[in-house]
Amino acid sequence: MPTPSYPVQDRRAAIKARIRTKQPHRVPNQRLRLFLVWLVVFGGIVGLLARLVYLQVSAAPFLRTKAQDQQLGNLPERTFRYPIVDSQGNLLAKDEPVFRLFAHPFLFQKQPDEIAKALAPVLDRSSDSLIELFKTGESGIPIGYRLSETEAEKINNLYLDGLEITREWQRVYPQSGLTSGLVGYVNTENQGQSGIEYSQQPLLKGDPIPLLVARDGQGKLLPDRFPLEPLNANDLTLKLTLDTRLQRSARQALHQTMAKFRAKRGSVIVMDVEDGSLKALASEPSFNPQRYFEANTELFKNWAISDLYEPGSTFKPINIAIALESNAIKADSVFHDGGQITVGGWPINNADNSGHGNLSITGILEYSSNVGMVHVMQRMDRSAYYNYLKKIGIGQITGTDLPFETPGQFKDKQQFLDYPIEAATAAFGQGFSVTPLQMAQLHAAIANGGELVTPHVVDGLYNPAGKKTKGLNLIQPRRIFSENTAAKVRTMMGSVVQNGTGKPAKIPGYRLGGKTGTAQKADSGTYSNARITSFVASFPLESPKYVVLAVVDEPQGGNAYGSTVAAPVVKSVLETLISVEGIPPSHPAELKAKPKASRPGG
């Protein structure tokens, strides 16, 4: 059936009718839509701020560390050692930069012979030897060690490709062997091996400082953050009580005497009697700490601290003080010296093999009478004598800050009590052993009024302003003799120098107390013909400030005694001390007087 057709006007009318019959469309509220949009935006801002706070506050340490790990690298830490100076500020040890030169032949832009010819005069090597080294590898060939800053700069100015200079550090000792027995040395790992470099290592080592450098994404170092050497952060200095002027004088006098008497070794100690500080301690032979690897290892231990000897007659004033303090004798007691005495079947003689008749205590010290000393100490109960020797430290260490100290050797008490010869030999300083340092300590107790002080060489750490920041905890002084006893013994020792075996140490215009010592050396339980000679002095006698001890081991010749070998050494050191300290003469009228001949022995 055909589709009916309508006029155009009818179709339009039908469409309009359908539109009018439809419901109208509702438009959303505009304010609500705007609110929702702003709510989304605000939520985004709050979330962004929360994330920012998290990154900037909570996660900041982690992110900072992670960034530094990516952007910065650590150079190896270097352990600093504080410089060491003497009491006058003279440098004894310090860290100093040195350089090492490496060759990388595969990077050479010139012929090896040209490079060798340019380097030879700087390295003080032949060009042929350098060419041979270049042939040993393609990279990393060490061709120069311990180069100075000047030498490193000369090499840099050659502008040669294939060369690399690295900086290292070494410990240098400007005074060389003068102070090596005290200061010591460090090895290639910067570890102290002797002297205070060893014993005071915790005090000398500064805290290592971390060094950061910038690097790019490939890990290569960048110059914008390359650190300067932080030596200014290592600004403390270890100051010693040592005076290198006295040290030099002591060493020179010791050298001359050892050469004259062909002695095996020797030592000189200068100690402040008030506090035990060491102003000089020279022991020979010594070594060069810069070239320690060439030295005899026995020299690394200062024998004045580590080796024992029988003190002989220098111990007699100590025994007199013990006897006086114990009321066994009086200062005006008199004893007969017949030249020989037998104790427990053993004969004891004087050093000069002669008797001197009736002697006062002062006379016994003046003549250095062995027989007189045996009579003196026989006045004491042996048990009390033994206990007093232990009280003053025989068989013990002094507690010094120097390393490798050896305690003295002493018989056990029962042997000392059962055999009278033990007390008899101890009376004139034999049958037991001490170190030279302990002998100086004991005489310092006589000089300072009876107190035992601790020998030491370290003053402390000082900052650039001159303020001490750290010192040592030393053993506190303890009294072993009364002031009255010490004063009496000092007067006697003054007479030894004026009238007895100590005359070679006399200094016109000045007064000093002293005592000589000449002891046979023990060898496998018996005494040999070898001698060890010594002299000890307290100065000035009127009010002692210093003790000076010289010990010379195995001097040769028939005229080798404490008075002829060791006393002149002490005199020479005291003359330097007078000059250095500006000590005026106590007896100026004697300055032009001629010295009298001295008595041998002791």
Side-chain angles (χ1 to χ4, degrees):
M1 183 173 182
T3 304
S5 60
Y6 298 96
V8 174
Q9 293 81 2
D10 293 340
R11 288 199 298 273
R12 289 177 179 172
I15 292 170
K16 289 179 179 180
R18 285 198 297 271
I19 291 175
R20 282 195 296 268
T21 59
K22 286 186 177 182
Q23 295 294 326
H25 180 71
R26 295 176 66 100
V27 178
N29 189 304
Q30 295 294 326
R31 289 185 178 180
L32 178 61
R33 185 166 58 183
L34 186 61
F35 173 76
L36 292 174
V37 170
W38 277 106
L39 186 63
V40 171
V41 172
F42 180 76
I45 293 174
V46 170
L48 185 61
L49 288 175
R51 181 64 176 172
L52 189 61
V53 170
Y54 169 76
L55 293 176
Q56 292 292 327
V57 179
S58 300
F62 169 75
L63 295 175
R64 187 182 300 111
T65 302
K66 190 171 183 179
Q68 287 180 348
D69 290 342
Q70 294 174 349
Q71 300 168 6
L72 301 176
N74 284 305
L75 290 179
E77 292 180 344
R78 190 178 79 82
T79 302
F80 296 98
R81 294 181 79 88
Y82 297 127
I84 303 173
V85 299
D86 75 349
S87 60
Q88 306 301 308
N90 297 308
L91 194 64
L92 306 181
K94 69 171 182 174
D95 288 356
E96 189 174 84
V98 291
F99 300 85
R100 183 181 292 193
L101 177 64
F102 294 90
H104 306 286
F106 80 100
L107 295 175
F108 285 173
Q109 299 298 313
K110 294 184 178 181
Q111 292 299 317
D113 58 338
E114 293 182 67
I115 295 176
K117 186 176 180 180
L119 289 175
V122 181
L123 300 178
D124 195 22
R125 301 183 64 166
S126 68
S127 57
D128 291 339
S129 67
L130 290 173
I131 292 173
E132 291 301 317
L133 281 175
F134 295 157
K135 296 177 181 178
T136 60
E138 293 186 353
S139 180
I141 304 170
I143 59 175
Y145 300 89
R146 296 186 178 274
L147 303 177
S148 67
E149 192 169 357
T150 301
E151 292 169 329
E153 186 176 357
K154 287 181 180 178
I155 295 171
N156 279 326
N157 291 338
L158 295 174
Y159 300 106
L160 296 171
D161 293 318
L163 299 179
E164 178 189 6
I165 295 176
T166 62
R167 182 166 61 177
E168 301 173 342
W169 292 87
Q170 69 172 351
R171 194 72 161 166
V172 296
Y173 301 94
Q175 304 297 334
S176 189
L178 178 65
T179 57
S180 59
L182 287 173
V183 175
Y185 74 97
V186 298
N187 60 14
T188 54
E189 284 75 38
N190 211 31
Q191 299 297 310
Q193 300 297 298
S194 70
I196 62 170
E197 292 275 33
Y198 175 81
S199 66
Q200 302 304 316
Q201 182 148 284
L203 198 63
L204 279 166
K205 290 181 68 173
D207 295 330
I209 301 174
L211 305 178
L212 295 176
V213 292
R215 61 187 182 186
D216 62 16
Q218 296 180 340
K220 295 181 180 179
L221 299 182
L222 298 175
D224 61 335
R225 194 188 165 97
F226 202 83
L228 297 175
E229 178 57 44
L231 282 179
N232 56 349
N234 189 32
D235 57 0
L236 297 179
T237 299
L238 185 67
K239 187 176 182 180
L240 305 186
T241 63
L242 185 75
D243 189 328
T244 50
R245 297 170 297 181
L246 290 176
Q247 181 81 358
R248 190 170 289 108
S249 171
R251 192 184 188 207
Q252 183 178 3
L254 195 57
H255 265 299
Q256 293 174 350
T257 295
M258 288 175 62
K260 178 179 179 181
F261 289 93
R262 305 185 306 281
K264 176 182 177 182
R265 58 185 181 177
S267 184
V268 177
I269 299 171
V270 181
M271 182 188 295
D272 187 312
V273 302
E274 293 300 324
D275 61 8
S277 59
L278 298 173
K279 303 302 180 183
L281 200 168
S283 293
E284 293 296 324
S286 60
F287 68 97
N288 182 354
Q290 213 66 59
R291 304 187 65 81
Y292 64 88
F293 43 84
E294 297 176 350
N296 185 335
T297 56
E298 293 182 358
L299 300 179
F300 298 155
K301 291 185 178 182
N302 191 317
W303 79 271
I305 302 160
S306 63
D307 287 10
L308 303 174
Y309 80 113
E310 295 187 353
S313 295
T314 53
F315 199 80
K316 289 174 180 175
I318 309 301
N319 274 329
I320 294 296
I322 292 174
L324 286 170
E325 193 75 7
S326 303
N327 295 317
I329 61 170
K330 297 184 181 298
D332 57 357
S333 297
V334 175
F335 296 89
H336 182 73
D337 175 10
Q340 186 182 77
I341 187 173
T342 301
V343 178
W346 295 88
I348 294 174
N349 301 312
N350 289 327
D352 58 4
N353 293 312
S354 61
H356 304 287
N358 292 333
L359 293 175
S360 65
I361 304 300
T362 299
I364 290 173
L365 291 180
E366 286 178 355
Y367 283 97
S368 197
S369 169
N370 292 341
V371 173
M373 284 303 306
V374 173
H375 284 307
V376 168
M377 302 316 294
Q378 283 180 337
R379 290 282 187 91
M380 283 196 68
D381 174 76
R382 282 205 295 275
S383 179
Y385 181 27
Y386 182 91
N387 291 339
Y388 215 116
L389 290 173
K390 297 294 288 185
K391 175 184 175 180
I392 65 175
I394 303 302
Q396 304 167 34
I397 61 173
T398 67
T400 181
D401 53 0
L402 292 163
F404 314 127
E405 183 178 16
T406 301
Q409 292 181 351
F410 196 30
K411 304 289 184 6
D412 64 75
K413 187 171 184 177
Q414 197 57 49
Q415 182 177 352
F416 195 85
L417 298 181
D418 290 345
Y419 297 92
I421 190 61
E422 299 293 352
T425 55
F428 50 90
Q430 296 198 217
F432 65 94
S433 58
V434 296
T435 62
L437 187 66
Q438 186 172 29
M439 204 58 224
Q441 179 196 36
L442 291 171
H443 273 277
I446 297 292
N448 68 22
E451 289 194 330
L452 200 67
V453 294
T454 303
H456 64 280
V457 72
V458 173
D459 184 355
L461 281 176
Y462 283 78
N463 63 21
K467 181 179 179 181
K468 184 188 289 191
T469 62
K470 191 173 184 180
L472 295 182
N473 293 321
L474 299 173
I475 300 172
Q476 292 300 306
R478 61 185 177 90
R479 181 161 297 281
I480 58 174
F481 303 122
S482 67
E483 291 187 7
N484 185 45
T485 293
K488 289 177 180 178
V489 176
R490 286 199 304 270
T491 300
M492 297 174 187
M493 292 176 67
S495 186
V496 170
V497 175
Q498 286 298 113
N499 308 306
T501 58
K503 278 185 178 180
K506 285 181 66 174
I507 300 175
Y510 296 87
R511 290 289 186 269
L512 62 138
K515 186 66 192 77
T516 55
T518 305
Q520 291 176 289
K521 294 186 68 175
D523 183 14
S524 301
T526 61
Y527 288 99
S528 65
N529 292 325
R531 298 173 176 176
I532 185 162
T533 61
S534 55
F535 183 80
V536 62
S538 55
F539 178 83
L541 182 62
E542 296 81 5
S543 181
K545 175 66 175 173
Y546 302 100
V547 157
V548 182
L549 170 68
V551 182
V552 181
D553 192 12
E554 294 189 18
Q556 306 299 308
N559 192 37
Y561 299 96
S563 58
T564 57
V565 178
V569 175
V570 172
K571 178 182 179 180
S572 178
V573 174
L574 286 175
E575 288 173 338
T576 301
L577 186 61
I578 290 170
S579 175
V580 166
E581 297 292 335
I583 302 173
S586 57
H587 295 71
E590 296 179 356
L591 292 177
K592 296 182 180 181
K594 295 182 179 180
K596 298 179 181 179
S598 62
R599 294 169 179 162

